[in-house]
DNA sequence: TTAAAACTATGAACGTCATACACAGTACGT
DNA sequence: ACGTACTGTGTATGACGTTCATAGTTTTAA
């Protein structure tokens, strides 16, 4: 059962399994160098600034030389998306709830810090070593809760998704770092005003009422930390309820099952 | 307070506020024609098939003629993202919970049916008439629950985000319509096997254990409807708890407040 | 020591794409 | 009927991803 399946070469590369050449000149670069260069560009100029040419020139080679290390630009983006992730915090000593709250928050902050991730990561599930490490720690934090493997996975997926959703919202509405980009709307307050002026109260009664009520006028108020915590607690409450249910089931029905 | 702010012209166009010409030849096209053509292409060939040239040729004009109707390709994508949304179901006669469950599910199904949406909608909050109508109906469904405007908005955002997350997961892992695309991983079972063969159990203890346990081997089992419902109920449970809390607060503290 | 082999980086070339611009044709308003 | 405002077209441009043949470099084998 050992890697019989031929993995996509991107994945091999991400895991450091690049074929080491025994002949010929030494490679002037390696994946890490290219990846960090690309990430730096993306952080500074956004995804639009990341071209084969720009990355190559930053590491001091011709554009086409990069194809010795990656198969395509898409591959580069995939590797970048894994490469930005720092090591996750360790769950030890924390309750599952505290840990997952932290875990989710850091992910969201990371997404805001590297907003270009929002335009990348979404397709295809994670296969890189760093993101999978994050995943592992979430599952580990749920050990002893009585959830089965599938439930743990679902919980982790849902929380990751929430981090993404929230980051996208904050970024889209202009609450994050004020990147001088193409966005026309700059802040929740302005968004609210635009909508209030745009909507026909007859066709959009509820939304129109909400916008005219001034909820969005809280300057930094909306779409900020408070709202992140709000939704997060919605989820954590749901998870806690599930765990409670599992615990009572376990106590009542079966002396010994296969909880994991 | 009437649209003093100069809206981006894309938004004006989306709302049917295109300037009607009084002189010159009649426009051969309109926004709707272009939009549906583009959507049809995206549905058939994915976002990659959508170029100014392909859209133009489908509606029978030269590529550059499209710029009479839209400002840029980005604008076209924005309009497409609003244009695919069908009218939302009406909340009347349903409990908020039933309605929001339906509301979220339809959104997820829509995202799977038009998977290219996953690569578009992320950035910038909705400003189009159709998506805002969806938003409105979610808020309407929450009338009478005691939540304030901000909370309702948060709830709706969170659920939309969940639909997106789940759709992205299902699509990424190959559970959706088997589009003959570039994805290397085809199905949850294969994903699980790949991971099981890739992970070092020492470095990834929890994840590795989960993958070797065979959770992913449920053929259609994982990442399917059951899992969507799972996460959705997590959220709805959390929302229900919140509503209950608000209700008891209201009963105990203040005779008349400004709940909305 | 020499020669083949393996491998690297390069530069030129191609195809695709979004977009700008000048032009020609067409219908309305006077 | 004339001018005006507007429409669709063709051409052109610059950026980008990617391919390929080539020249250069280091290691292995003879």
């Amino acid at each position: 059962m050992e890697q019989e399946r031929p993995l996509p070469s991107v994945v091999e590369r991400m895991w450091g399994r690049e074929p080491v050449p025994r002949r010929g000149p030494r490679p002037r670069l390696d994946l890490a160098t290219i990846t960090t260069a690309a990430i730096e560009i993306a952080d500074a100029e956004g995804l639009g600034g990341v071209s084969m040419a720009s990355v190559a020139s930053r590491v001091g080679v011709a554009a086409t030389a990069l194809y010795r290390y990656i198969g395509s630009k898409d591959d580069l983006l995939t590797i970048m998306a894994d490469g930005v992730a720092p090591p996750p915090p360790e769950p030890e000593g924390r309750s599952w709830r505290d840990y997952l709250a932290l875990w989710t928050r850091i992910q969201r902050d990371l997404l805001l810090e590297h907003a270009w991730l929002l335009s990348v990561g979404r397709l295809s599930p994670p296969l890189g070593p760093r993101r999978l490490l994050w995943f592992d720690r979430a599952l580990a934090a749920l050990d002893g809760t009585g959830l089965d493997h599938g439930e743990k996975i679902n919980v982790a997926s849902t929380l990751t998704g929430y981090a993404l959703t929230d980051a996208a919202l904050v970024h889209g509405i202009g609450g994050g770092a004020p990147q001088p980009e193409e966005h026309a709307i700059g802040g929740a307050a302005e968004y609210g005003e635009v909508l209030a002026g745009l909507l026909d109260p007859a066709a959009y009664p509820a939304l129109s009422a909400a916008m005219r009520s001034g909820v969005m006028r809280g300057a930094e108020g909306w779409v900020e930390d408070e709202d992140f915590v709000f939704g997060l607690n919605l989820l954590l409450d749901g998870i806690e309820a599930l765990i409670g249910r599992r615990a009572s089931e376990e106590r009542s029905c079966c002396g010994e099952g296969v909880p994991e």
Side-chain angles (χ1 to χ4, degrees), chain A:
Chain A
M1 221 229 236
E2 282 294 315
Q3 68 190 70
E4 19 183 334
R5 200 174 299 276
L7 292 178
S9 70
V10 199
V11 179
E12 301 274 10
R13 294 278 235 278
M14 270 196 294
W15 286 83
R17 306 238 213 303
E18 2 185 6
V20 178
R22 289 241 138 297
R23 275 207 260 209
R26 270 219 203 71
R28 201 183 318 178
L29 306 167
D30 57 2
L31 248 192
T33 307
I34 297 174
T35 305
T36 60
I39 290 175
E40 284 167 10
I41 295 178
D43 285 344
E45 312 172 30
L47 258 200
V50 178
S51 67
M52 291 294 138
S54 67
V55 175
S57 98
R58 177 172 258 258
V59 295
V61 298
T64 59
L66 297 182
Y67 288 92
R68 294 274 154 203
Y69 303 89
I70 58 172
S72 67
K73 186 183 181 179
D74 269 349
D75 288 358
L76 176 58
L77 294 178
T78 301
I79 299 176
M80 286 169 68
D82 190 71
V84 265
E90 290 296 331
E92 289 146 24
R94 292 189 180 92
S95 73
W96 67 264
R97 183 161 180 143
D98 284 349
Y99 180 76
L100 287 185
L102 177 67
W103 185 86
T104 309
R105 171 182 292 280
I106 298 179
Q107 284 192 67
R108 190 204 63 151
D109 291 345
L110 189 78
L111 284 162
L112 284 179
E113 205 175 336
H114 311 278
W116 49 269
L117 270 174
L118 295 171
S119 318
V120 177
R122 247 13 13 239
L123 316 157
S124 75
L127 279 171
R130 309 175 94 116
R131 297 216 103 91
L132 288 177
L133 195 61
W134 276 82
F135 210 75
D136 179 85
R137 292 309 184 265
L139 301 185
L142 288 167
D143 271 343
T145 55
L147 300 186
D148 66 34
H149 285 307
E151 289 168 330
K152 287 183 199 166
I153 292 173
N154 271 321
V155 165
S157 299
T158 304
L159 287 176
T160 295
Y162 179 69
L164 209 114
T165 293
D166 189 81
L169 196 63
V170 172
H171 175 73
I173 219 159
Q179 297 191 346
E181 275 181 43
E182 73 287 346
H183 288 301
I185 306 293
E190 180 170 345
Y191 181 70
E193 279 175 39
V194 168
L195 251 56
L198 199 59
L199 296 174
D200 170 16
Y204 302 80
L207 184 56
S208 170
M211 290 305 148
R212 289 174 208 277
S213 81
V215 231
M216 308 301 251
R217 246 191 292 287
E220 262 80 2
W222 197 62
V223 151
E224 281 305 314
D225 201 78
E226 209 177 322
D227 300 274
F228 171 72
V229 173
F230 175 91
L232 181 58
N233 279 328
L234 242 49
L235 277 164
L236 293 175
D237 286 349
I239 295 164
E240 188 155 354
L242 175 73
I243 290 176
R245 234 177 297 145
R246 287 284 172 281
S248 62
E249 280 173 22
E250 203 175 315
R251 213 171 4 246
S252 68
C253 87
C254 26
E256 288 176 46
V258 272
E260 315 220 0

